[in-house]
């Protein structure tokens, strides 16, 4: 097991860090409100970063997701890569890959996923989908949404143009075909704890196309857990970096806060938690790239991201003292993202219960 990035992975991470760092500034994030930064998305796509994911693998995508999380960049990068690019590349037919991947690579198309599977969507005998998903991240930016049905079969459903943001380049919703899609697929805006341009997905006899076989859903869920754990690692690292910088210059009783033992211990605990999230995400991603069983490791990474992630973003806010209570302070954004990722990945007890059930099935009776 070697987590050292390859030359290609390192170059992609360096490029992502530069673009995110230059464009996802506090001022731009504040001006974007709860919406997506379209210019940042265009810059990432122009640099070829979404398309590079197929070459650098899941470990590479985790590295890029960390960079997105470090600055809490409001773009559908992680979601579109895992629910679009990797899902289609791994499980699509030759025809689907040839038709769908070019637009996903260049950002013309944006995908998201109605995950984790909840069984709220049912596919009829005619293949039409009906049901409601309470919230889907970055749905308002999406041109396609990957939906699991009651049997854990995957369907890629077009989103009407009125619900597409970052990846929408045409008025397709005004055509007859677009109107038919819009009648069967509805997107209702939903505001979450974090500004993820989410939406409520309502399907009423929607037509989608099957992606993969019965194993595809479990594989996509595994990849998503790993990637969003990587995103949480970046969120936590960014929060901790802000706390370290703040406590190094803020003085109390005539000396910097960072010299107080209680502050040092709190920061050290947050650092260890962040590293635990990172290393479990790396291990799960590495195993997946190597073709090894990774479902248990993805659950472990998700558990660390959920449980430890909460501790870290709370610590980052607390170490800022009264400034941490300011809703406009940059560290508060990390707090919101950390709590949203905790909710999205699933609370720790649920993840542990699922992990226990999975281990029990593998153990001899």
């Amino acid at each position: 097991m070697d987590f050292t990035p390859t030359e290609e992975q390192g170059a992609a991470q360096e490029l992502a860090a530069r673009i995110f760092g230059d464009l996802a500034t506090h001022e731009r994030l504040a001006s974007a409100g709860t919406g997506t930064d379209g210019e940042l998305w265009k810059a990432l796509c122009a640099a070829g970063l979404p398309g590079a994911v197929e070459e650098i693998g899941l470990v590479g995508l985790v590295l890029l997701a960390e960079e997105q999380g470090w600055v809490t960049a409001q773009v559908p990068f992680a979601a579109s890569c895992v629910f679009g690019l990797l899902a289609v590349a791994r499980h699509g037919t030759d025809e689907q890959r040839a038709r769908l991947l070019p637009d996903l690579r260049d950002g013309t198309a944006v995908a998201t996923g109605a995950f984790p599977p909840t069984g709220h969507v049912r596919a009829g005998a005619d293949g039409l989908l009906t049901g409601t998903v309470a919230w889907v991240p970055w749905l308002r930016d999406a041109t396609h949404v990957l939906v699991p049905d009651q049997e854990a079969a995957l369907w890629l459903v077009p989103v009407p143009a009125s619900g597409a943001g970052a990846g929408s380049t045409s008025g397709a919703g005004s055509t007859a075909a677009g109107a038919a899609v819009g009648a069967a697929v509805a997107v209702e805006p939903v505001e979450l704890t974090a500004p993820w341009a989410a939406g409520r997905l309502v399907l009423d006899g929607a037509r989608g196309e099957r992606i993969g076989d019965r194993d595809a859903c479990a594989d996509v869920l595994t990849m998503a857990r790993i990637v969003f754990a990587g995103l949480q690692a970046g969120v936590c690292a960014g929060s901790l970096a802000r706390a370290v910088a703040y406590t190094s210059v803020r003085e109390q009783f005539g000396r910097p806060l960072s010299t107080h033992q209680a502050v040092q211990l709190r920061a050290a605990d947050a650092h260890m938690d962040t590293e635990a999230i990172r290393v479990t995400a790396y291990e799960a991603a590495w195993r997946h790239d190597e073709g090894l069983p990774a479902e248990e490791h993805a659950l472990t990474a998700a558990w660390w991201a959920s449980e430890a992630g909460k501790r870290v973003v709370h610590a980052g806010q607390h170490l800022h003292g009264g400034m941490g209570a300011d809703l406009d302070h940059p560290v508060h954004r990390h707090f919101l993202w950390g709590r949203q990722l905790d909710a999205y990945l699933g609370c720790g007890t649920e993840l542990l219960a699922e992990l226990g059930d999975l281990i029990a099935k593998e153990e001899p009776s």
Side-chain angles (χ1 to χ4, degrees):
M1 187 181 303
D2 185 1
F3 297 154
T4 304
T6 64
E7 183 177 347
E8 292 78 10
Q9 290 168 345
Q13 184 181 22
E14 182 179 345
L15 178 59
R18 185 164 67 249
I19 295 174
F20 282 128
D22 289 345
L23 296 182
T25 62
H26 174 59
E27 293 72 22
R28 285 177 62 94
L29 289 168
S31 64
T34 60
T36 292
D37 188 336
E39 292 303 314
L40 174 55
W41 177 248
K42 291 177 182 177
L44 292 168
C45 296
L49 285 174
V53 169
E54 293 173 86
E55 301 297 326
I56 61 178
L58 201 59
V59 170
L61 179 53
V62 167
L63 294 173
L64 302 188
E66 278 192 77
E67 298 301 334
Q68 178 182 358
W70 182 281
V71 294
T72 61
Q74 292 172 203
V75 286
F77 181 77
S80 190
C81 286
V82 70
F83 295 123
L85 270 166
L86 292 184
V88 173
R90 286 179 59 83
H91 300 289
T93 63
D94 291 340
E95 186 277 332
Q96 287 173 326
R97 288 194 290 268
R99 172 167 49 88
L100 297 169
L101 286 179
D103 288 346
L104 288 167
R105 290 178 185 130
D106 65 19
T108 304
V110 175
T112 187
F115 278 71
T118 58
H120 294 164
V121 174
R122 305 190 68 81
D126 54 3
L128 299 182
L129 304 172
T130 303
T132 300
V133 182
W135 64 273
V136 179
W138 287 288
L139 184 61
R140 301 201 304 266
D141 292 335
T143 58
H144 297 81
V145 56
L146 193 64
V147 181
D149 67 15
Q150 76 279 12
E151 300 295 336
L154 289 182
W155 302 83
L156 191 65
V157 179
V159 176
S162 59
S168 180
T169 58
S170 68
S174 63
T175 66
V181 169
V185 182
V187 174
E188 302 170 2
V190 173
E191 296 301 338
L192 305 177
T193 301
W196 283 6
R200 183 171 181 259
L201 179 66
V202 181
L203 303 175
D204 185 12
R207 188 172 299 281
E209 57 180 307
R210 277 291 304 274
I211 300 291
D213 56 21
R214 294 295 180 185
D215 296 328
C217 184
D219 182 59
V220 172
L221 178 58
T222 293
M223 291 192 294
R225 282 171 166 160
I226 296 169
V227 171
F228 280 88
L231 189 64
Q232 182 76 300
V235 169
C236 291
S239 174
L240 183 58
R242 290 188 180 280
V244 169
Y246 177 80
T247 57
S248 297
V249 297
R250 177 70 172 177
E251 291 190 357
Q252 187 181 58
F253 305 122
R255 57 194 179 107
L257 284 172
S258 59
T259 63
H260 294 272
Q261 188 178 45
V263 172
Q264 294 173 354
L265 291 175
R266 191 78 187 276
D269 286 342
H271 171 73
M272 295 303 297
D273 274 337
T274 301
E275 288 303 298
I277 300 170
R278 178 179 285 124
V279 73
T280 52
Y282 286 178
E283 181 185 15
W286 176 84
R287 290 182 64 88
H288 192 276
D289 283 344
E290 293 295 314
L292 300 171
E295 189 175 0
E296 292 179 14
H297 301 78
L299 278 165
T300 301
W303 181 83
W304 273 105
S306 174
E307 288 292 292
K310 283 185 294 189
R311 292 195 295 266
V312 174
V313 296
H314 275 268
Q317 190 158 336
H318 290 167
L319 288 173
H320 278 76
M323 293 300 296
D326 183 356
L327 302 185
D328 295 324
H329 195 282
V331 77
H332 187 67
R333 190 176 293 109
H334 291 267
F335 175 78
L336 297 178
W337 275 63
R339 293 311 307 255
Q340 188 65 64
L341 282 162
D342 166 43
Y344 185 58
L345 289 165
C347 73
T349 51
E350 291 177 348
L351 292 167
L352 281 182
E354 186 177 345
L355 179 59
D357 290 341
L358 185 61
I359 294 174
K361 291 179 182 178
E362 297 175 354
E363 292 291 332
S365 58

